[in-house]
Amino acid sequence: MKPADYRLESSWNPGGGPHGAFTFTLFNLSGAALSGFKLVYTSLTRVIDATACANATFLRRNANFHEFEPPAGLTLAAGESWTFTVAGLHRPARHCTDGAKSAYLTLSSGKHVPVAVSDLLLEGRVSEPPPVLLPEGRLDLPFALQPWPAEIDAKPGDSFPVILYPEGASADELSAISTCISLTRRLFESDHSVFNLVTSPQGRALTFNKDASLDAEAYRLTFSADRVTLSYSSSAGRQYGLTSLAQMLNGARVSQGKFRFPVSGTISDHPRYSWRGCHLDVSRQFYPVDDVKRLIDILAWFKFNIFHWHLTDDEAWRLEIKAYPQLTTTGVLRGPDEPLLPQLGNGAEPVDGFYSQDDVRDIVAHASSLHVEVVPEIDIPGHNAATLVALPELTDGQEAPESYHSVQGYPNNALNPAVPLTYEFLEKVFDEMVELFPSSYIHIGGDEVANGSWLASPLARKLMAEEGISGTFGLQSYFLKQVKTMLDKRGRKLAGWNEVAHGGGVAAKDSLLMAWENPQVGIELAEQGYDVVMTPGQAYYLDMVQAEAFQEPGASWAGTVPPAHSYAYEAAGEFPEELKHKLKGVQACIWSEHFLSRGYFNRLVFPRLPAIAEAAWTPKASKDWDRFAAIVTLSPKL
């Protein structure tokens, strides 16, 4: 890799303004003089006062995109640097990832060249290193099970079988073992397989028992010195039983002495919640197909059964829709000279990326083979900056530009409920989605529509007068009711974020809402009759920082979320007994603003993802943080 010709270093001074101030220093390492340039960086800590800079001129901002130019006539000789300060920020920087995430220069020739960026430093006080977040842990029973089962009464053996092999298995049961072999080999490529289809004198026999009295996702394992019996009623329970065997035998192999394999007794297991979900935002950062499939493998390993695929947002529309090819040409292409400007992590080179319909079929089939349901999300009506650039005919041409801004700083980014073409567009999108996704749910977002959206639109004002609608959220409710009708016609149920209930909401029947803003919202939704999935940012958002230290990476709007808190959080919380049937489950959310590398992904997602898996599966009375900490180090990662 070629060394950087330019580097941008930054620090944050808490006392430099109402929300502190950045100090940026650009170093010219190119060996040639630099003049007549502009500097762009992307940052979640946005500038809202264009005048509050020193030794630079603020030119423009689009959400997280910021452009500056140096003082007139400035020339940087090789090895020289230019320093400027930026105050007027919309919030303070709290962590090292709150500074510049990417940067580039636009030269006087118009050429764009990359600039390397460094982590944000803290001025004026000691920057403590991040603390250790996971104790060594303690084991009462030495079994490597993630999540821990509902009931276990098993005795560890002094040795373990080299392999487990089927005896008297049907063709369907052999296929299930083969699927589990493939899953284990993908997750642990260098480890010895835990199953074999051929009898082995060094192994232990595995027999199957079809037991109709068990629930669909339940299983029972019975151990003896010469065999293991797996009882199940459906293919899902059978897979979970095989996965538990794979975990225990693999753990006993790779950590001999710490973990062992049962020689007698039983494990009787079933999930706590029916919805055990994990969400992935692929709009802010694009994940290749193989990465998405590996995440699904990890979900299957931890017995999650829902993959919530967040396919569209302001940054990009990632799902191929054949009726609107512009969505995955214009609507995904970001760059200095493209209609969509660079955002978090984007630099001098244009970036794109989307999932073709063949990609989607491949991913859905992969997930289905592992009993993971793919719930797709197109986020509407807000979070559609990319959509509206790709399809400008969806806008009200009379609406004033920048008449409202989203919380992320995007101007006029919501689909307009008063533009008739909006509904034609969505009808065609849903037609293609139902052919691709067999899930009974389609998630329609419904979150973070800025109060004041559409009020400068003459078409919207006319619709409000005709229909007696009051305000932004009344319009949103009107819009989402039309969307729910579209889904009903196609035999699909509506899922959405908790704001779907705003302004009168949609009918509660066949609607499932996700409580993300805070835990109390979930109870309020249940009181209104909605089925609820709990995914509060304060416990289950995996982009949140895990410690208060400035050097800890991640977001902080929902506070600090250490793994111990994610593990201990109880979704049922204060739910009254009469409402607990409305609580369908829990979900981890992976928002990708901070995930510019695999290293950041793994650091922030693990061990909190397996912690949430245990919250979704294991009874409250059986949870044990020290036991979890002792086992979770075996977790596969992306």
Side-chain angles (χ1 to χ4, degrees):
M1 181 181 293
K2 181 180 179 292
D5 283 338
Y6 309 97
R7 177 171 290 277
L8 184 67
E9 299 206 341
S10 58
S11 60
W12 180 68
N13 178 357
H19 294 304
F22 288 130
T23 299
F24 290 103
T25 302
L26 176 70
F27 289 87
N28 178 10
L29 309 173
S30 68
L34 175 66
S35 62
F37 63 91
K38 297 174 184 176
L39 170 69
V40 166
Y41 70 78
T42 68
S43 174
L44 282 161
T45 308
R46 299 188 295 276
V47 174
I48 57 173
D49 182 356
T51 65
C53 345
N55 204 34
T57 300
F58 179 78
L59 298 176
R60 57 176 173 157
R61 177 174 69 82
N62 177 269
N64 307 297
F65 168 100
H66 300 76
E67 186 175 41
F68 297 82
E69 66 180 1
L74 177 75
T75 297
L76 296 182
E80 290 186 342
S81 62
W82 160 52
T83 297
F84 65 102
T85 59
V86 177
L89 306 174
H90 84 295
R91 63 167 174 81
R94 296 185 177 91
H95 296 275
C96 63
T97 44
D98 284 337
K101 291 194 171 296
S102 59
Y104 66 88
L105 296 179
T106 300
L107 305 180
S108 56
S109 65
K111 180 182 179 182
H112 308 291
V113 295
V115 173
V117 298
S118 300
D119 273 346
L120 184 66
L121 298 180
L122 176 63
E123 295 179 22
R125 66 174 189 258
V126 174
S127 178
E128 299 289 346
V132 175
L133 297 169
L134 198 67
E136 185 176 337
R138 181 195 67 250
L139 288 170
D140 294 326
L141 285 173
F143 302 130
L145 283 164
Q146 302 180 86
W148 196 252
E151 299 175 37
I152 181 167
D153 182 15
K155 179 182 176 182
D158 294 328
S159 61
F160 54 85
V162 170
I163 209 80
L164 297 174
Y165 61 86
E167 191 172 83
S170 68
D172 197 37
E173 290 162 344
L174 291 174
S175 179
I177 294 174
S178 179
T179 297
C180 196
I181 292 172
S182 297
L183 172 64
T184 308
R185 295 303 293 271
R186 289 194 301 270
L187 292 177
F188 306 99
E189 292 178 343
S190 63
D191 291 350
H192 193 280
S193 179
V194 293
F195 296 109
N196 204 45
L197 299 185
V198 174
T199 302
S200 169
Q202 300 181 71
R204 193 175 299 178
L206 171 62
T207 58
F208 292 90
N209 173 44
K210 199 79 181 286
D211 184 346
S213 69
L214 293 173
D215 291 339
E217 293 190 301
Y219 67 91
R220 184 173 59 251
L221 295 170
T222 306
F223 299 91
S224 67
D226 63 346
R227 74 182 53 250
V228 178
T229 300
L230 169 54
S231 299
Y232 69 96
S233 68
S234 79
S235 57
R238 181 178 62 201
Q239 176 187 289
Y240 298 144
L242 290 170
T243 302
S244 290
L245 290 172
Q247 289 177 349
M248 286 189 290
L249 186 48
N250 189 61
R253 280 218 191 95
V254 300
S255 296
Q256 293 186 35
K258 181 177 181 181
F259 298 109
R260 292 153 75 185
F261 193 78
V263 71
S264 63
T266 60
I267 295 174
S268 297
D269 202 9
H270 56 86
R272 182 178 182 184
Y273 293 116
S274 60
W275 186 289
R276 305 180 303 281
C278 178
H279 150 290
L280 179 66
D281 158 28
V282 298
S283 180
R284 273 59 178 253
Q285 312 296 338
F286 180 72
Y287 296 76
V289 168
D290 285 348
D291 284 356
V292 175
K293 291 168 75 173
R294 181 167 177 89
L295 178 60
I296 291 170
D297 283 345
I298 292 169
L299 300 185
W301 187 250
F302 292 127
K303 303 185 177 76
F304 286 95
N305 65 344
I306 300 291
F307 173 55
H308 172 179
W309 200 4
H310 185 88
L311 286 158
T312 73
D313 215 297
D314 291 307
E315 284 77 2
W317 179 292
R318 302 291 189 189
L319 174 64
E320 180 188 20
I321 299 296
K322 292 186 182 298
Y324 297 100
Q326 310 96 302
L327 291 170
T328 45
T329 53
T330 303
V332 299
L333 185 59
R334 289 197 170 275
D337 299 318
E338 305 301 336
L340 294 172
L341 290 170
Q343 292 295 335
L344 299 170
N346 307 153
E349 293 298 320
V351 294
D352 56 10
F354 69 94
Y355 303 96
S356 71
Q357 295 198 357
D358 284 343
D359 292 335
V360 170
R361 293 185 187 96
D362 179 30
I363 288 168
V364 168
H366 180 80
S368 179
S369 73
L370 298 170
H371 295 279
V372 175
E373 178 181 342
V374 179
V375 175
E377 179 186 354
I378 58 162
D379 201 348
I380 55 176
H383 289 281
N384 273 272
T387 312
L388 294 171
V389 169
L391 300 172
E393 60 269 31
L394 295 179
T395 62
D396 178 354
Q398 303 173 82
E399 184 178 24
E402 306 213 19
S403 58
Y404 64 90
H405 288 80
S406 73
V407 68
Q408 288 82 15
Y410 287 94
N412 295 33
N413 72 329
L415 298 179
N416 193 322
V419 173
L421 194 58
T422 296
Y423 302 100
E424 179 185 331
F425 163 70
L426 291 173
E427 295 268 13
K428 291 180 180 179
V429 169
F430 289 139
D431 280 343
E432 297 193 30
M433 290 183 72
V434 297
E435 293 298 318
L436 294 170
F437 297 99
S439 171
S440 58
Y441 286 97
I442 289 180
H443 198 294
I444 53 78
D447 62 314
E448 295 187 325
V449 173
N451 195 4
S453 297
W454 311 307
L455 301 186
S457 160
L459 288 176
R461 291 200 304 271
K462 180 172 181 289
L463 176 65
M464 293 168 73
E466 291 172 350
E467 299 289 337
I469 295 170
S470 175
T472 291
F473 300 117
L475 272 174
Q476 175 176 301
S477 176
Y478 171 89
F479 169 82
L480 291 178
K481 285 172 181 174
Q482 318 306 310
V483 170
K484 183 168 173 61
T485 299
M486 294 180 198
L487 296 181
D488 288 344
K489 283 195 319 186
R490 292 163 174 81
R492 295 297 194 269
K493 299 175 185 178
L494 181 149
W497 302 108
N498 55 248
E499 296 99 318
V500 167
H502 287 181
V506 300
K509 184 178 184 297
D510 292 333
S511 296
L512 178 144
L513 301 188
M514 296 182 173
W516 70 273
E517 289 184 282
N518 60 67
Q520 180 61 31
V521 167
I523 299 172
E524 294 168 2
L525 293 173
E527 289 172 341
Q528 295 172 54
Y530 292 106
D531 288 341
V532 178
V533 169
M534 294 297 285
T535 179
Q538 295 79 6
Y540 288 169
Y541 270 33
L542 302 187
D543 58 320
M544 291 296 117
V545 292
Q546 299 177 85
E548 293 183 3
F550 190 83
Q551 292 182 36
E552 184 71 20
S556 55
W557 67 262
T560 301
V561 186
H565 177 64
S566 293
Y567 185 84
Y569 170 72
E570 271 298 307
E574 303 300 320
F575 266 70
E577 197 62 38
E578 66 272 15
L579 291 178
K580 285 187 176 176
H581 69 287
K582 304 302 291 182
L583 175 56
K584 300 306 177 184
V586 301
Q587 180 167 290
C589 284
I590 302 173
W591 297 101
S592 295
E593 285 94 336
H594 291 283
F595 295 140
L596 304 187
S597 70
R598 193 176 298 261
Y600 270 134
F601 185 99
N602 285 331
R603 177 169 173 172
L604 286 164
V605 169
F606 302 97
R608 292 185 292 184
L609 181 63
I612 297 166
E614 192 146 310
W617 184 280
T618 307
K620 178 182 178 182
S622 299
K623 291 170 66 177
D624 183 317
W625 167 246
D626 284 324
R627 181 202 61 230
F628 170 82
I631 299 170
V632 76
T633 54
L634 295 175
S635 297
K637 295 183 178 180
L638 194 67

